[in-house]
Amino acid sequence: MSLEPESPREEQGFLGLGPPTMAVSPTPQQQEYGNGSATEGRLNESEASGTPGGFHSYDWMDVFSLLVTSLGLLGNGTVLWLLGFRIRRTPYSVYILNLAGADALFLCCSFLISLRRLATCFYYIMYMVVLYLQCMSYTAGLSLLAAISTERCLSALFPLWYRCRRPKHTSAAVCAGLWAQAGVIEVTEFVTRNYLAPRRFCNFLTIYFVCFVLLTCILCVSSLTLLLRVQCSSRRRRPPRLYLLVLLTVLVFLLCGLPWGIEGFINDRFRIELMPDILPHSLACVNSSVNPFIYFFLGKQGHKGRESLRLILQRALGEEQEVGGGMRDIPHTNTQETSSGG
């Protein structure tokens, strides 16, 4: 029996990302194709159906994913370079730096997986490592988005506390904790999936999905609070760019990133495939690719002429101050992660 997964969902496992599972009995297609791989079966099926170039729709979606992930890696790489080496650190730039890292890692894994499905050149163990890293980056990205949205909400609701009482290295500590949490989750999944009883793995899926829903609820509540805040402030003066950055990033995740997690859990827990797996995976790639373009779009908004990417990104991540109940932007170059600003 071939080690190749017989469907995209079996290929990706938990949340579309776990290790491949072995089929108990061959399907009619496998019997027809003999011991060939699932990829060969798809190609033979597409050739038989007369698809131009012998490409199945899954393969065309992989090509699309490769193009999207290439653009996303370019954008996220630019953000990582600017925030890591060219721009002074602020509380929110630390979050954005880690979010860009999570998106870049997710896109790297997606790029490699799409290449593997097109070229079938990866070894089985390397493929599993890439899948688990991809799932870890997805979990870290969701957690970082929730942290960014929550902290932005707290700074808007309790500005005095945020300026005077917020611990100095909160951003770095939270990011380190969230990355560690994502790693522990993936190690736990690997152990329960491969070395414990199936019931234990089902219990793990349930616990993980509860945490997934809780993070999503936190994300939605804090974003809704920010949206109301923007609505109130926009009547007096222009809302800060960072508010809009958080709201747009969360909106893109809810539209493009969230379906991947939900569809993967339903399929892995209940064996119900709501849609072809490649569709939510491609949407998740879009979610991780579009964030840098949101940053640069908001930083460029309202300013004409040619400017450096460093200046545009600084403007997008500029700190805000509450002045007389209103809000205004202050230059990013005058802010740093101090005890008063975090």
Side-chain angles (χ1 to χ4, degrees):
M1 183 180 295
S2 171
L3 288 178
E4 290 287 337
E6 66 177 1
S7 68
R9 172 55 60 188
E10 289 183 355
E11 179 182 17
Q12 296 199 359
F14 175 52
L15 283 182
L17 298 168
T21 56
M22 297 288 291
V24 176
S25 59
T27 63
Q29 284 185 345
Q30 289 174 321
Q31 293 175 350
E32 179 181 353
Y33 298 129
N35 292 327
S37 66
T39 304
E40 293 171 349
R42 284 192 296 159
L43 292 176
N44 292 338
E45 183 184 12
S46 62
E47 290 173 356
S49 61
T51 306
F55 260 49
H56 193 277
S57 60
Y58 287 149
D59 298 308
W60 290 114
M61 292 302 294
D62 277 327
V63 173
F64 172 75
S65 296
L66 287 175
L67 295 176
V68 171
T69 51
S70 299
L71 291 175
L73 284 172
L74 178 63
N76 281 290
T78 304
V79 172
L80 286 172
W81 179 73
L82 291 174
L83 291 182
F85 304 102
R86 302 288 295 174
I87 295 178
R88 183 176 297 173
R89 301 286 173 82
T90 65
Y92 289 100
S93 69
V94 173
Y95 284 120
I96 296 300
L97 176 65
N98 281 269
L99 179 61
D103 287 338
L105 180 58
F106 179 89
L107 291 171
C108 281
C109 297
S110 298
F111 187 87
L112 294 175
I113 289 171
S114 296
L115 280 180
R116 184 265 181 187
R117 285 202 293 237
L118 289 173
T120 62
C121 62
F122 270 82
Y123 291 105
Y124 178 80
I125 185 65
M126 180 61 70
Y127 186 54
M128 287 181 59
V129 171
V130 171
L131 288 174
Y132 278 110
L133 284 176
Q134 187 187 37
C135 187
M136 185 183 73
S137 63
Y138 179 85
T139 303
L142 171 59
S143 303
L144 288 166
L145 268 181
I148 294 171
S149 183
T150 300
E151 184 159 341
R152 184 71 272 181
C153 181
L154 291 176
S155 68
L157 297 178
F158 308 103
L160 293 179
W161 169 86
Y162 181 77
R163 292 180 203 158
C164 303
R165 298 296 181 87
R166 179 183 182 273
K168 181 178 180 181
H169 300 292
T170 299
S171 299
V174 170
C175 291
L178 293 179
W179 278 105
Q181 170 191 279
V184 169
I185 287 175
E186 291 313 304
V187 171
T188 305
E189 179 198 349
F190 177 81
V191 172
T192 55
R193 177 189 288 273
N194 295 284
Y195 299 105
L196 298 179
R199 181 177 298 179
R200 296 285 183 88
F201 179 65
C202 291
N203 293 337
F204 168 81
L205 284 180
T206 303
I207 294 173
Y208 182 91
F209 190 69
V210 170
C211 296
F212 179 83
V213 172
L214 181 61
L215 280 174
T216 304
C217 291
I218 293 174
L219 192 65
C220 293
V221 171
S222 57
S223 300
L224 181 59
T225 304
L226 272 182
L227 180 61
L228 296 176
R229 180 71 171 174
V230 168
Q231 285 293 106
C232 294
S233 64
S234 61
R235 298 176 183 177
R236 296 187 292 271
R237 55 184 68 186
R238 182 175 59 86
R241 285 186 178 87
L242 190 56
Y243 280 38
L244 300 178
L245 184 150
V246 173
L247 290 175
L248 285 177
T249 305
V250 171
L251 178 62
V252 171
F253 174 81
L254 294 177
L255 293 177
C256 298
L258 192 62
W260 194 53
I262 295 176
E263 195 271 340
F265 170 78
I266 293 176
N267 184 280
D268 207 57
R269 180 66 178 84
F270 302 105
R271 299 298 177 183
I272 300 175
E273 188 168 345
L274 300 179
M275 63 185 78
D277 177 73
I278 194 64
L279 177 59
H281 179 263
S282 297
L283 288 176
C285 291
V286 172
N287 167 67
S288 293
S289 299
V290 78
N291 285 338
F293 298 97
I294 293 176
Y295 310 152
F296 293 119
F297 170 76
L298 291 177
K300 186 66 176 176
Q301 195 176 29
H303 293 264
K304 297 181 179 179
R306 192 171 182 178
E307 296 177 309
S308 66
L309 294 179
R310 175 173 174 264
L311 179 61
I312 294 173
L313 186 58
Q314 280 183 316
R315 189 182 298 122
L317 301 180
E319 294 291 294
E320 292 84 30
Q321 280 186 329
E322 297 274 346
V323 180
M327 286 167 289
R328 64 179 178 88
D329 291 343
I330 62 175
H332 180 91
T333 53
N334 294 332
T335 61
Q336 56 184 344
E337 193 159 357
T338 63
S339 57
S340 61

